Amino acid sequence: MHQLIDINWKYLFQADKYIPTAKLFDLKTKEVLKIDLPGYNFALKMSDEKYCTGYYLNGEYKECALQTVLSSSTANQCDVCERLQGFKSTFFYGADPNENMQKYLSQKHFIYLAYFEPGLLKVGTASESRKNIRPIEQDALIYAYIAESDGFNVQKAEKYISKNFGITEHVNSSHKLKYISRKPNTAFAYDLINRTIDKFHSKIDWKLEEELSCSLIDRNKIEIQNLSTHENIHFPPTFEVLNKELNLFGVFSGLRGRYLIIKSEQKEFVFDTNFLMGRTIATLSDYHYNEPKKDIQFSLF
């Protein structure tokens, strides 16, 4: 039996290529199976129970020793595995970093500006090891890295930039879903990002650089990245949202942030991967989706 533990992106550096990928954990052999999703035919029945997806230690996957059943349909880790990994407790709850997080925070971190339709600018952070993956997994298709720091100060620097430049730190998933069909206005996005970067470089911010150990990247070295034309980025013209559907049947169409898009019987359906993660899977021989209720909505978070 297999458990779905992740749906995300991988980056092939030499080819400069992004590939959406699913990870399954074989509960018998204890091996992680990776599936490249482009062209993949889904025929999966997900379990009613949602289990903890385990954690990563020094980049190596560790299964949940307790096989905890999660009560929340959007949570992916139990409290024990979250503490062992330490990311959420450190970044969101201000806990002292454990040994695993100490190593993670010791690496170089980056601050980026990202554009979202319609006309939104977000400030975010990424570690050096996840520099190429973090924006695309956030569905930040047009972005630029603007500053460097260490992991211990980067979140404070992010909040400082957000407060002093009026740039949001959060774009809700419901907002991303609302505009999932709209391709970014590239000219407007580039102009907005460039004008904002110029504001950063118009004067030296001593608090940002000295107190928060955050260094601006040289203006001439900043490059705006545009992933909106990438071959594996899909903008579904029309779609139906299946909020609590446990059957995945059809051909992979795309992955946008936390939303998986599958085409079945000439229609495209959108699934929340947070709802699917952690469930065990069985095979389906056939399946037909019913028309979803009109009042179904995703969580704002």
Side-chain angles (χ1 to χ4, degrees), residues 66-281:
L66 302 176
Q67 291 294 297
T68 304
V69 177
L70 302 174
S71 57
S72 170
S73 63
T74 57
N76 291 325
Q77 288 179 305
C78 67
D79 291 341
V80 173
C81 287
E82 195 290 311
R83 284 196 299 271
L84 288 170
Q85 185 157 316
F87 184 87
K88 186 184 295 184
S89 57
T90 299
F91 271 94
F92 295 107
Y93 302 118
D96 291 333
N98 60 20
E99 184 178 351
N100 190 40
M101 280 304 296
Q102 286 277 355
K103 293 180 181 178
Y104 179 81
L105 295 173
S106 295
Q107 65 181 303
K108 184 185 294 185
H109 279 63
F110 297 88
I111 295 176
Y112 64 83
L113 297 178
Y115 176 83
F116 294 86
E117 285 293 336
L120 291 181
L121 201 60
K122 172 190 180 297
V123 59
T125 68
S127 65
E128 188 167 35
S129 60
R130 306 190 74 248
K131 184 179 179 182
N132 292 305
I133 292 297
R134 184 60 176 166
I136 197 171
E137 74 176 8
Q138 294 290 302
D139 206 34
L141 301 181
I142 299 181
Y143 69 94
Y145 282 107
I146 63 167
E148 302 176 358
S149 185
D150 58 69
F152 300 98
N153 289 289
V154 70
Q155 194 175 34
K156 296 176 184 177
E158 178 189 18
K159 291 183 181 300
Y160 180 84
I161 289 171
S162 174
K163 179 180 178 180
N164 286 274
F165 289 86
I167 306 170
T168 186
E169 295 178 74
H170 306 287
V171 177
N172 291 332
S173 291
S174 59
H175 179 94
K176 297 176 186 178
L177 177 62
K178 182 178 180 180
Y179 294 97
I180 197 170
S181 297
R182 185 185 295 189
K183 294 182 179 181
N185 184 330
T186 304
F188 183 85
Y190 274 57
D191 180 65
L192 180 60
I193 291 175
N194 276 318
R195 284 190 286 110
T196 305
I197 293 172
D198 288 340
K199 289 181 181 179
F200 282 98
H201 286 266
S202 63
K203 64 176 182 178
I204 298 175
D205 193 319
W206 296 109
K207 179 176 176 61
L208 191 63
E209 296 210 357
E210 294 187 2
E211 291 186 29
L212 301 179
S213 302
C214 182
S215 301
L216 296 180
I217 296 174
D218 188 287
R219 184 66 179 92
N220 296 323
K221 295 182 179 180
I222 295 177
E223 295 183 8
I224 298 178
Q225 304 295 324
N226 182 4
L227 304 181
S228 64
T229 59
H230 191 278
E231 61 180 313
N232 286 323
I233 296 296
H234 178 57
F235 298 90
T238 60
F239 60 91
E240 300 285 357
V241 178
L242 300 183
N243 197 12
K244 296 184 179 180
E245 177 63 61
L246 291 173
N247 299 286
L248 301 181
F249 195 85
V251 180
F252 173 82
S253 281
L255 179 65
R256 296 286 305 282
R258 68 189 244 189
Y259 299 116
L260 172 68
I261 309 166
I262 291 176
K263 188 172 186 177
S264 180
E265 298 180 309
Q266 305 306 310
K267 292 184 178 180
E268 290 193 303
F269 300 92
V270 174
F271 304 82
D272 186 347
T273 59
N274 277 1
F275 178 75
L276 301 174
M277 221 76 73
R279 301 180 191 274
T280 57
I281 60 176

